[in-house]
Amino acid sequence: MGVEISSVGTTAVLVAQMRALESARTDRLFTDELAHELVTAAAMGIENVTLEQVEGQRVYVSVSVRTHYLDAWCSQLLSPNAIRQVVILGAGLDTRAIRLNWLDDGLSVFEIDRSDVTELKAQVLGIDPDARWRGLATDLATESWSAELHGAGFDPTAPTLFIAEGLFMYLDDVVSTDIIAQIEKLSAPGSHLLGVHFGRGALIDAETQAMSAAIGKNGYGFESVIDTTPDKWLGDSWDVLSATSIAQYAPTVGRKIPYDEDAIGAEVTWMFAASLSAAKSQTSSDGSPRA
């Protein structure tokens, strides 16, 4: 396809292959028929990874479980039609805009990631950027991303669903805190945030630390965790509707994570859903009362 994939983009392709393998199961937790197309187009050999090679391994199970959790919350939050705008931060090769029929249903979708990732997705899926889908190639570690979002047609007066599935663990605490602050400023009343982030258990678990060291050789690695709980980490501007770890949620959908979180003594990976608090909804981005 003429797109050179970076080391960060390679992670996106690997995650997409996990979704493709899950989708081929008879007991699948979701269906992502586009994932295989994206992985094949990347032509990195990752498409040759089989279910037999990864079944039961933590990366595969974690991706499947977190995708199910977020899909369920997306359906719950978007079904009343009160939210008509979605922003996916660090979108990777996420295909929810198509596979969950968001574009067909008239939602506006903004996806932010590196240029190689957004270009690959646009080329393979053939999404018309004028059809309420915007792929923004910008750096979330800088404050410019919110201005670029506005420039792409984002409506700050409309309730928005923000999704950050595989982002925060790759950023340090300062950058993560700044992104949450930017999301708050962009959020109109009725806005929600879905997220996945490492918990304190990731600092204790030896395999997580080994994974971090391995990917760190590619120039990036795991940089931060939620050291407390999602509600404390997000702060008073958000009301947490759900907070559970991947290990806690997995058995409810018939899967088992290959580590003992009780033995570790803390959550390894949090998943959460939060809404903009009523108090925050009464003020504008500069702190003044909303009209």
Side-chain angles (χ1 to χ4, degrees):
M1 301 301 293
V3 178
E4 184 177 349
I5 305 299
S6 65
S7 57
V8 176
T10 299
T11 299
V13 176
L14 177 61
V15 170
Q17 177 65 1
M18 300 300 102
R19 290 197 296 264
L21 294 174
E22 177 67 25
S23 300
R25 294 175 61 133
T26 57
D27 62 343
R28 54 187 171 270
L29 298 181
F30 56 86
T31 299
D32 186 349
E33 296 177 347
L34 300 170
H36 178 70
E37 293 183 42
L38 290 163
V39 176
T40 300
M44 303 178 67
I46 293 176
E47 66 273 17
N48 297 320
V49 174
T50 66
L51 180 61
E52 290 73 21
Q53 290 174 315
V54 300
E55 188 169 17
Q57 295 184 13
R58 71 161 61 197
V59 173
Y60 167 71
V61 180
S62 294
V63 169
S64 298
V65 170
R66 81 187 195 192
T67 300
H68 182 279
Y69 176 88
L70 295 176
D71 279 2
W73 270 101
C74 285
S75 297
Q76 179 174 328
L77 294 174
L78 296 175
S79 59
N81 292 321
I83 298 176
R84 308 297 297 164
Q85 185 170 248
V86 180
V87 176
I88 308 178
L89 307 173
L93 297 180
D94 185 298
T95 63
R96 289 186 175 93
I98 298 176
R99 68 181 179 84
L100 298 185
N101 301 314
W102 293 349
L103 296 178
D104 288 344
D105 292 341
L107 274 69
S108 294
V109 182
F110 302 86
E111 301 187 358
I112 302 176
D113 212 314
R114 295 173 57 94
S115 60
D116 55 333
V117 176
T118 57
E119 288 174 19
L120 176 64
K121 185 184 295 184
Q123 289 183 14
V124 175
L125 302 184
I127 301 173
D128 182 354
D130 294 324
R132 298 179 308 280
W133 181 83
R134 300 289 187 276
L136 304 180
T138 188
D139 188 355
L140 286 162
T142 68
E143 295 185 1
S144 64
W145 69 267
S146 58
E148 294 187 44
L149 188 61
H150 280 289
F154 174 81
D155 182 359
T157 68
T160 303
L161 173 58
F162 293 89
I163 304 173
E165 181 173 357
L167 174 66
F168 292 122
M169 62 277 290
Y170 294 106
L171 305 173
D172 63 36
D173 288 322
V174 173
V175 174
S176 295
T177 299
D178 182 68
I179 289 175
I180 294 297
Q182 292 293 323
I183 291 174
E184 291 173 11
K185 292 178 181 179
L186 293 166
S187 294
S191 293
H192 289 73
L193 169 63
L194 301 178
V196 177
H197 195 358
F198 279 149
R200 190 166 52 84
L203 299 176
I204 304 170
D205 177 53
E207 187 172 346
T208 304
Q209 291 301 299
M211 289 170 56
S212 180
I215 65 175
K217 296 177 182 178
N218 294 322
Y220 71 102
F222 303 143
E223 297 288 342
S224 64
V225 304
I226 294 177
D227 195 38
T228 52
T229 57
D231 59 326
K232 293 180 180 178
W233 183 73
L234 288 170
D236 295 337
S237 294
W238 298 92
D239 295 324
V240 174
L241 308 175
S242 167
T244 185
S245 74
I246 287 180
Q248 293 162 355
Y249 186 76
T252 70
V253 293
R255 300 297 164 85
K256 177 179 174 56
I257 285 289
Y259 54 81
D260 186 347
E261 199 167 71
D262 290 335
I264 293 171
E267 289 78 5
V268 173
T269 308
W270 283 105
M271 306 183 294
F272 58 85
S275 62
L276 191 68
S277 70
K280 177 65 178 178
S281 295
Q282 301 304 312
T283 61
S284 64
S285 61
D286 64 0
S288 61
R290 290 187 184 270

